[in-house]
Amino acid sequence: FHLTIVLLNIWTHKELVSCVGWTTADELYSCSEDHQILRWNLLTSETSLVVKLQEDLFPIDLHWFPKTVGGKKQAQAEIFVLTSTDGKFHLASKMGRIEKSVEAHKGAVLAGRWNYDGTALITAGEDGQIKIWSKSGMLRSTLAQQGSPVYSVAWGPDSDRILYTSGRLLIIKPLQPSAKLLQWKAHDGIILKVDWNSVNDLILSSGEDCKYKVWDSYGRLLYTSSSHDYPVTSVSWSPDGEVFAVGSFNTLRLCDKTGWSYALEKPNTGSVFSLAWSADGTQLAGACGNGHVIFAHVVEQRWEWRSFEITLTKRRTMQVRNVVNDAGDVLEFRDRVIKASLAHGHLVVTTSLQCYVYSATNWNTPLIFDLKEGTVSLIVQAEKHFLLVDGTGVYVFSYEGRLISTPRFPGMRTDILNAQSVSLSNDTIAIRDKSDEKVIFLFDALTGKALGDGKPLTHKMEVVEIALDQCGPSSDRKIAVIDKNRDLYLTAVHRLYREHNICKIGTMVHTMAWNDSANILCGIQDTQFTVWHYPSAVFTDKDLLPKTLYMKDASEFSRAPHILNYVGTQVTVRRCDGSLVYSSVSPYPALLHEYSASSRWEDALRLCRFAKDQSLWACLAGMAMANRELTTAEVAYAAIGEVDKVQYINSIKDLPSKESSVAHMLLFSGHVQEAEATLLQAGLVYQTIQVHINLYNWDRALELAVKHKTHVDTVLAYRLKFLQDFSKKETNKRFMQYADGVEVDWEKIQAKVEMELVKEREKAATTSVRSISPRPVHFN
């Protein structure tokens, strides 16, 4: 990122400019101590006087009524709130007419802010009071009263909490009367400005100690700047929460959300008292102490994918460079670029009116279609299609520009969706709910309808990040989830059984990414960089998972790194200072995934023998078991020294029927209920009872025998033998009840067991299913 500074000297204020606010992406209002409100049009570079205020009205803060609420445009006339030094706030129309003036505080009203849906207004005063008003200007409540002036306030993301300053303290006060407030010492000088972003839930503060800081919503410090030469007078988040701006004396800085600085400009402005971003996040305006209004445009943004590097050189121009042959292209756009994304061989660019889709094989003829609403806040790409998020909804488009689906759920707020809370694959969309962060909504990407029975996936704890794997059939789609404890979980998207089987596969995971061409997951786990070569092993054989990992020291990535992408064999990591680090991963696991997907088991064995890598053998063992390829699984388990599992697989191969084989493979993966259901469905009652006897599930074995009126004596015989082996007496009342009326004859029992096996073999022979089908069985 880089900032291009523009100072329009057509008409300037004669005194200090106290506040600025955007009406549209190209129109700004500014207020000054010269009592004038000016309108700035960036398309025509014209400035005009809106209104000359009365001589005793000195404006301090300005905030426009929100344009959209829950994706719908507000029908209400465009108004703004203007606070002033005389203790009043004023509701003014776009034409500058004061509709209403309200006596609010003793002394100056230092800040006024609408909440996100425009139902309430908060004001903060020099008298230390914070008050909430209705949108018509009626007092609802006095939220706080303290001894020192409140210089700045901000609403929480859900408009249910207020952040405000109190000298050197920051205070978060919930609106519920019984809720506890949170306060902490944030700066060594008086805090001048705060801002709270609704997308990333992070807080900015700046003060007279000449520093700016980034906090989470629990008051934990995430970043502190070095000391500037002068007090930091303003801070402001961009709408999407990816960057923020900082203003000080003759200083304008653009920073990443983690705190490090993209750009530093030193314009001749005096102190920058107020900063405002346009709704599309491409332009920034500042209210300057010398009477100027400063404008800055965000350019020099870069995107990388494989050998391509794309740079936004001007607001409407992109430079494409292929680093392999140094070939270049220039892409020109009719309007300014708002968002762009480069992945899966396509560049998707949105401007204020249109969406451009370029293929990496042809940069000359993009596919162009019009957008309903100009302000696209997020682009997510998958191999076959991409997803756009704007103020009105979520849309999935094909790379040919065809609208595929528009998923929706009750209470969906598109303004707070980001790359951590939305994930897309070729067949599935996952969106984390903001109102309940434990809930993940899952949709079919091609229809936009909720998957399965329509019930969302609910985790036991708040979810921080979600990611869908990108390859394989939709029936086998998995989603990785990082929760608030920083534990990493994996679950199948499609519920094959009653509940989602959510398995933990990692702890202290700060960031993760799926590979774009194989279902391999990488993440930074505490101080280790970890690659899960076959995460689905957790559903087939939990003991295999640790053996499929690749781990190395992550100290080269420094503190708080972020994985940008995992393409091919290269992982791109952004360090906390903004620098990029590239880490290479072995190509063999991706090759093994490819062989497994196309059932090339001989090639898979050859690859493992060539690589001589234990983690590769462990991956092959899991893949072969998931695909019922028992011969390959036997070789792979033998290679990693799992003798007991080799013996069990051998016993499965000797089973007479397909149903028995499937059931015992389910047992191998720990799915006892599913194995029981498989056997009972096939009419193999004795085999079901025997499974529970082998697992010492005595009560269930007896229950099945009684229910089906068969082999009660068999269960009692095995129970008796079990008690005799351990020199114990029967204490189970049910077994004591049935033992009285049933005689145990081992010869009869042995004959009955052999008869059952003969019956199963005959049944298997008549249905001609002796061989085991190569179709995958999904263990979840």
Side-chain angles (χ1 to χ4, degrees):
F1 289 100
H2 189 68
L3 285 175
T4 303
I5 300 290
V6 179
L7 281 165
L8 300 176
N9 292 323
I10 317 148
W11 187 343
T12 58
H13 289 282
K14 298 175 183 65
E15 297 287 340
L16 172 152
V17 183
S18 56
C19 48
V20 288
W22 296 86
T23 57
T24 66
D26 293 296
E27 188 179 78
L28 180 98
Y29 276 40
S30 65
C31 302
S32 163
E33 291 189 354
D34 64 4
H35 314 291
Q36 292 183 342
I37 298 180
L38 299 184
R39 182 191 292 117
W40 307 74
N41 189 317
L42 268 70
L43 290 176
T44 59
S45 297
E46 290 176 356
T47 313
S48 56
L49 177 66
V50 177
V51 68
K52 184 92 162 73
L53 300 168
Q54 58 206 55
E55 289 298 315
D56 59 345
L57 202 160
F58 292 89
I60 295 176
D61 196 16
L62 169 155
H63 193 217
W64 283 92
F65 193 77
K67 295 276 189 302
T68 55
V69 174
K72 293 174 186 170
K73 294 204 169 179
Q74 289 278 42
Q76 186 165 338
E78 291 180 310
I79 58 165
F80 61 92
V81 62
L82 190 68
T83 72
S84 56
T85 55
D86 58 2
K88 296 178 182 175
F89 70 82
H90 313 273
L91 299 178
S93 72
K94 197 173 181 181
M95 305 309 294
R97 189 172 73 251
I98 304 287
E99 304 285 352
K100 190 170 190 178
S101 294
V102 179
E103 289 275 358
H105 295 267
K106 289 174 183 169
V109 185
L110 298 174
R113 283 283 174 269
W114 298 104
N115 67 356
Y116 288 100
D117 58 8
T119 54
L121 169 72
I122 193 157
T123 60
E126 209 171 7
D127 56 3
Q129 294 192 340
I130 295 174
K131 296 182 178 180
I132 295 183
W133 311 79
S134 72
K135 63 180 176 185
S136 59
M138 303 293 288
L139 180 64
R140 283 189 185 163
S141 65
T142 301
L143 201 65
Q145 289 178 299
Q146 48 188 39
S148 58
V150 179
Y151 287 100
S152 188
V153 291
W155 289 92
D158 294 320
S159 300
D160 60 350
R161 290 171 292 168
I162 300 291
L163 167 72
Y164 61 92
T165 70
S166 175
R168 300 175 179 190
L169 300 177
L170 281 180
I171 300 171
I172 294 176
K173 185 170 176 63
L175 296 189
Q176 295 87 352
S178 57
K180 199 174 161 189
L181 63 77
L182 173 71
Q183 70 174 43
W184 68 97
K185 187 192 171 198
H187 287 263
D188 295 324
I190 289 171
I191 301 168
L192 300 174
K193 267 286 193 300
V194 293
D195 197 11
W196 193 347
N197 187 262
S198 62
V199 179
N200 60 31
D201 200 23
L202 298 179
I203 290 166
L204 289 175
S205 64
S206 66
E208 289 187 346
D209 60 356
C210 307
K211 292 180 181 177
Y212 62 88
K213 298 184 180 185
V214 184
W215 312 85
D216 69 10
S217 57
Y218 300 97
R220 292 178 293 211
L221 181 64
L222 303 180
Y223 180 85
T224 180
S225 74
S226 54
S227 198
H228 287 61
D229 296 333
Y230 300 95
V232 180
T233 45
S234 55
V235 284
S236 180
W237 280 111
S238 69
D240 64 6
E242 290 299 313
V243 293
F244 63 88
V246 177
S248 181
F249 181 79
N250 284 357
T251 302
L252 187 61
R253 191 184 282 275
L254 182 69
C255 303
D256 184 77
K257 63 183 173 188
T258 52
W260 55 272
S261 186
Y262 278 112
L264 173 65
E265 300 294 335
K266 290 284 189 178
N268 181 24
T269 55
S271 289
V272 181
F273 289 107
S274 169
L275 287 166
W277 287 89
S278 61
D280 59 21
T282 62
Q283 300 176 103
L284 177 69
C288 306
N290 64 359
H292 282 297
V293 173
I294 187 172
F295 293 95
H297 309 302
V298 179
V299 292
E300 295 294 324
Q301 199 173 346
R302 285 173 67 235
W303 297 266
E304 291 178 2
W305 180 78
R306 295 197 185 270
S307 63
F308 291 100
E309 181 185 84
I310 294 177
T311 310
L312 182 69
T313 51
K314 295 176 187 171
R315 298 169 68 201
R316 299 176 185 176
T317 308
M318 280 180 161
Q319 182 83 41
V320 180
R321 181 169 162 255
N322 187 338
V323 294
V324 172
N325 54 17
D326 214 30
D329 278 284
V330 176
L331 313 180
E332 299 277 355
F333 302 94
R334 195 181 71 187
D335 307 290
R336 70 171 174 277
V337 172
I338 290 172
K339 280 277 171 194
S341 175
L342 177 64
H344 297 284
H346 291 89
L347 170 70
V348 180
V349 180
T350 61
T351 67
S352 49
L353 296 171
Q354 292 173 313
C355 179
Y356 296 73
V357 182
Y358 292 88
S359 167
T361 55
N362 178 12
W363 297 105
N364 299 320
T365 50
L367 189 134
I368 306 169
F369 59 89
D370 292 337
L371 295 168
K372 282 185 183 176
E373 199 206 65
T375 315
V376 170
S377 57
L378 181 67
I379 304 172
V380 182
Q381 287 180 259
E383 183 195 2
K384 293 181 181 172
H385 37 245
F386 64 95
L387 176 146
L388 297 182
V389 178
D390 65 17
T392 57
V394 175
Y395 308 93
V396 179
F397 290 93
S398 70
Y399 287 112
E400 291 76 45
R402 182 170 52 84
L403 179 64
I404 296 172
S405 64
T406 54
R408 292 188 180 282
F409 58 86
M412 181 167 80
R413 272 183 62 191
T414 57
D415 58 322
I416 48 88
L417 297 179
N418 62 3
Q420 280 70 49
S421 59
V422 179
S423 186
L424 177 71
S425 71
N426 286 337
D427 42 65
T428 311
I429 307 159
I431 303 175
R432 188 201 65 193
D433 189 11
K434 179 64 184 171
S435 58
D436 181 358
E437 292 185 347
K438 295 176 183 176
V439 173
I440 300 164
F441 288 97
L442 299 166
F443 302 95
D444 186 319
L446 303 179
T447 63
K449 291 177 180 172
L451 285 179
D453 56 6
K455 286 183 183 173
L457 166 62
T458 305
H459 189 46
K460 62 187 177 185
M461 186 158 284
E462 287 85 353
V463 172
V464 175
E465 186 174 348
I466 59 174
L468 288 160
D469 63 10
Q470 297 297 303
C471 306
S474 63
S475 58
D476 211 17
R477 184 69 54 234
K478 304 286 190 296
I479 184 168
V481 170
I482 298 177
D483 67 18
K484 203 184 257 182
N485 277 351
R486 291 287 161 191
D487 290 330
L488 176 63
Y489 289 84
L490 190 72
T491 184
V493 163
H494 294 270
R495 268 177 282 196
L496 298 175
Y497 306 109
R498 278 163 291 177
E499 291 300 322
H500 280 286
N501 184 13
I502 302 182
C503 298
K504 188 196 282 192
I505 61 169
T507 56
M508 291 303 290
V509 180
H510 304 290
T511 174
M512 64 167 172
W514 285 98
N515 186 270
D516 67 332
S517 51
N519 289 338
I520 302 171
L521 184 68
C522 74
I524 292 172
Q525 196 176 7
D526 201 9
T527 58
Q528 297 283 327
F529 171 68
T530 306
V531 182
W532 289 263
H533 287 144
Y534 183 55
S536 296
V538 75
F539 302 122
T540 313
D541 180 358
K542 284 184 181 176
D543 302 334
L544 273 183
L545 188 69
K547 298 179 180 181
T548 64
L549 304 186
Y550 164 75
M551 299 174 96
K552 73 168 185 177
D553 181 44
S555 57
E556 64 173 312
F557 303 132
S558 75
R559 186 181 62 83
H562 175 67
I563 296 175
L564 293 180
N565 56 46
Y566 179 10
V567 178
T569 59
Q570 185 172 275
V571 180
T572 308
V573 179
R574 174 85 71 185
R575 302 203 313 184
C576 65
D577 61 359
S579 59
L580 293 176
V581 180
Y582 300 93
S583 189
S584 288
V585 176
S586 167
Y588 296 142
L591 202 54
L592 194 65
H593 275 271
E594 189 185 316
Y595 290 154
S596 165
S598 53
S599 299
R600 292 161 61 187
W601 300 108
E602 281 300 321
D603 290 338
L605 285 166
R606 209 172 290 122
L607 175 68
C608 290
R609 287 177 184 130
F610 168 76
K612 297 183 178 68
D613 183 351
Q614 288 289 292
S615 70
L616 218 54
W617 279 113
C619 290
L620 180 59
M623 290 171 185
M625 278 308 288
N627 286 276
R628 301 198 218 167
E629 191 60 41
L630 297 182
T631 308
T632 308
E634 203 178 340
V635 176
Y637 273 112
I640 55 174
E642 299 272 7
V643 180
D644 54 336
K645 287 173 184 171
V646 173
Q647 286 179 333
Y648 191 76
I649 291 165
N650 249 320
S651 70
I652 294 174
K653 286 167 78 176
D654 293 336
L655 291 168
S657 70
K658 174 193 166 186
E659 289 82 6
S660 284
S661 300
V662 171
H664 280 271
M665 279 192 275
L666 284 163
L667 283 172
F668 182 92
S669 303
H671 301 290
V672 179
Q673 283 179 310
E674 290 78 55
E676 180 191 294
T678 304
L679 289 169
L680 288 175
Q681 200 173 354
L684 302 172
V685 178
Y686 166 69
Q687 285 80 349
T688 315
I689 293 168
Q690 189 63 52
V691 161
H692 286 291
I693 291 171
N694 293 343
L695 292 169
Y696 305 116
N697 292 341
W698 297 110
D699 286 321
R700 182 60 180 157
L702 184 61
E703 188 186 324
L704 285 168
V706 171
K707 182 182 175 183
H708 293 278
K709 297 176 182 170
T710 181
H711 288 286
V712 175
D713 57 340
T714 309
V715 178
L716 292 171
Y718 277 105
R719 172 75 172 180
L720 185 64
K721 187 174 183 302
F722 168 77
L723 292 170
Q724 286 170 353
D725 288 346
F726 289 96
S727 306
K728 293 203 178 264
K729 286 188 175 179
E730 184 61 80
T731 55
N732 189 312
K733 287 180 181 175
R734 287 205 74 195
F735 276 90
M736 289 163 76
Q737 176 194 335
Y738 285 102
D740 288 343
V742 178
E743 187 185 339
V744 173
D745 184 338
W746 274 106
E747 282 185 14
K748 274 187 184 177
I749 289 167
Q750 204 64 40
K752 277 167 73 177
V753 168
E754 281 174 13
M755 277 297 294
E756 290 287 354
L757 293 172
V758 169
K759 272 188 210 170
E760 187 181 354
R761 284 195 189 95
E762 285 172 357
K763 188 178 176 185
T766 53
T767 50
S768 304
V769 286
R770 185 66 195 265
S771 63
I772 293 171
S773 164
R775 282 186 302 106
V777 57
H778 305 295
F779 298 125
N780 185 27

